[in-house]
């Protein structure tokens, strides 16, 4: 799979196995229940959480993102025609949420989760469906990424209140496998200027791995073969997830051994997350 500045991919055969549809669909209600429990703790949701968003904004974003992805799971596509549209789509969705009370947001989340899981389970197999930018992704990518919405934004809200937040290892792996399916449009060619490298990423404790080839501002994702990569990155699923979502710097998990790099050019591991837009 190749991505560059000029190409908008529409269909592909991905070299990395997608998330298991049954597992991702089962994980989504549990993940969102953990997120909803956080909203109902009685904490002040007006506090700043991430970027320009309050915790209330983050919660409303999760609810509306789920609703958008119900349409995606039904095969109706995404309103995001280009990644540059994402801020405007998110802002428009947030402005549509009039009642930000935790109870109302939780009801919206529960309703959307039910609709999404029904849409996924009602379709045979794991067909390709149109996602952001028209990219075709396996259906199981949608519930996997929605588990990511719950876990990453739950982390954002919990951190804003100084609370601990647990991301189960299995869920993190499911999210990462979903991310790989849809990561191509997030590649930033300008950040890869002058870079020619093969970077193999491994999810520790599983057989999931992907080879990211960067050359002349292009990205190609392949199944690792016998050739040596320039840099190998192996990470615990949760640590790798927070790193790739921009919630931690590369140095912190590296110093604790939760993410390690080796090879002919191990320093490329520090540059790798910056080659992509923050999901």
């Amino acid at each position: 799979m190749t991505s560059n500045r000029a190409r908008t991919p529409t269909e592909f055969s991905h070299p990395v196995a997608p998330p298991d549809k049954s597992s991702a669909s089962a994980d989504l209600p549990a993940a969102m229940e953990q997120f909803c429990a956080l909203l109902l703790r009685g904490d002040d949701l007006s506090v700043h959480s991430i970027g320009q968003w309050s915790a209330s904004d983050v919660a409303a974003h999760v609810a509306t993102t789920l609703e958008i992805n119900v349409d995606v799971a039904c095969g109706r596509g995404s309103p995001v025609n280009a990644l540059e549209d994402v801020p405007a789509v998110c802002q428009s969705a947030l402005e549509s949420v009039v009642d930000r009370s935790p109870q109302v947001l939780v009801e919206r989340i529960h309703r959307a989760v039910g609709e999404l899981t029904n849409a996924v389970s009602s379709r045979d197999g794991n067909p390709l469906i149109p996602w952001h930018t028209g990219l075709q992704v396996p259906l199981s990518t949608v519930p996997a990424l929605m588990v990511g919405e719950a876990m990453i934004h739950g982390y954002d809200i919990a951190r804003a209140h100084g609370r601990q937040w647990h991301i189960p290892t299995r869920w993190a792996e499911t999210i990462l496998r979903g991310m790989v399916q849809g990561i191509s449009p997030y590649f930033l060619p300008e950040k890869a200027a002058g870079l020619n490298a093969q970077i193999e990423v491994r999810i520790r404790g599983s057989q999931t791995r992907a080879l990211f080839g960067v050359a002349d501002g292009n990205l190609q994702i392949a199944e690792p073969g016998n050739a040596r990569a320039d840099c190998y990155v192996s990470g615990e699923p949760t640590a790798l997830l927070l790193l790739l979502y921009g919630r931690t710097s590369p140095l912190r998990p590296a110093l604790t051994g939760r993410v390690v790099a080796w090879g002919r050019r191990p320093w490329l591991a520090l540059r790798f997350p910056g080659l992509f837009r923050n999901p």
Side-chain angles (χ1 to χ4, degrees), residues 134-206:
L135 180 71
Q136 299 281 318
V137 299
L139 176 60
S140 63
T141 302
V142 177
L145 292 178
M146 292 306 96
V147 174
E149 287 291 305
M151 292 296 96
I152 293 299
H153 289 310
Y155 175 86
D156 293 333
I157 294 175
R159 186 171 58 174
H161 290 107
R163 295 189 180 279
Q164 295 294 314
W165 181 251
H166 176 60
I167 303 177
T169 297
R170 184 170 61 83
W171 292 0
E173 182 180 348
T174 294
I175 300 163
L176 288 167
R177 288 174 63 185
M179 280 184 67
V180 174
Q181 302 299 317
I183 202 171
S184 183
Y186 288 83
F187 179 64
L188 297 169
E190 63 273 18
K191 297 293 186 180
L195 177 63
N196 288 275
Q198 300 285 318
I199 303 171
E200 182 177 321
V201 178
R202 302 176 176 181
I203 300 177
R204 194 177 300 168
S206 80

Side-chain angles (χ1 to χ4, degrees), residues 44-67:
D44 180 9
L45 296 184
S46 67
V47 299
H48 174 263
S49 180
I50 188 169
Q52 297 181 342
W53 284 357
S54 67
S56 174
D57 291 330
V58 171
H61 166 74
V62 170
T64 55
T65 298
L66 275 166
E67 291 164 353

Side-chain angles (χ1 to χ4, degrees), residues 1-15 135 183-185 187 213-222:
M1 183 179 68
T2 303
S3 175
N4 57 34
R5 190 188 308 269
R7 180 173 178 270
T8 300
T10 56
E11 188 168 352
F12 62 98
S13 178
H14 204 285
L135 180 71
I183 202 171
S184 183
F187 179 64
V214 181
D216 302 321
N218 296 316
L219 170 70
Q220 183 172 8
I221 303 176

Side-chain angles (χ1 to χ4, degrees), residues 6-99:
R7 180 173 178 270
T8 300
T10 56
E11 188 168 352
F12 62 98
S13 178
H14 204 285
V16 177
D20 178 78
K21 191 178 81 167
S22 297
S23 295
S25 297
D27 291 343
L28 177 58
M32 283 297 171
E33 197 58 43
Q34 181 177 326
F35 179 82
C36 289
L38 180 65
L39 300 185
L40 296 174
R41 291 189 67 115
D43 292 330
D44 180 9
L45 296 184
S46 67
V47 299
H48 174 263
S49 180
I50 188 169
Q52 297 181 342
W53 284 357
S54 67
S56 174
D57 291 330
V58 171
H61 166 74
V62 170
T64 55
T65 298
L66 275 166
E67 291 164 353
I68 288 170
N69 277 273
V70 170
D71 283 341
V72 174
C74 291
R76 295 191 285 264
S78 164
V80 178
N81 297 315
L83 285 188
E84 291 76 12
D85 298 341
V86 170
V89 170
C90 289
Q91 185 60 34
S92 176
L94 282 179
E95 291 173 357
S96 72
V97 182
V98 177
D99 192 337

Side-chain angles (χ1 to χ4, degrees), residues 16 176-177 179-180 183 198-214 219-224 229-237 239-241 243-244 258-262 268-273 275-276:
V16 177
L176 288 167
R177 288 174 63 185
M179 280 184 67
V180 174
I183 202 171
Q198 300 285 318
I199 303 171
E200 182 177 321
V201 178
R202 302 176 176 181
I203 300 177
R204 194 177 300 168
S206 80
Q207 298 299 314
T208 302
R209 57 185 62 188
L211 183 67
F212 293 81
V214 181
L219 170 70
Q220 183 172 8
I221 303 176
E223 185 177 2
D230 297 293
C231 175
Y232 296 86
V233 180
S234 173
E236 294 178 2
L240 201 56
L241 180 70
L243 175 62
L244 295 178
R258 299 185 70 196
V259 176
V260 298
W262 70 96
L268 291 174
L270 298 174
R271 187 173 178 181
F272 179 72
L275 299 178
F276 302 91

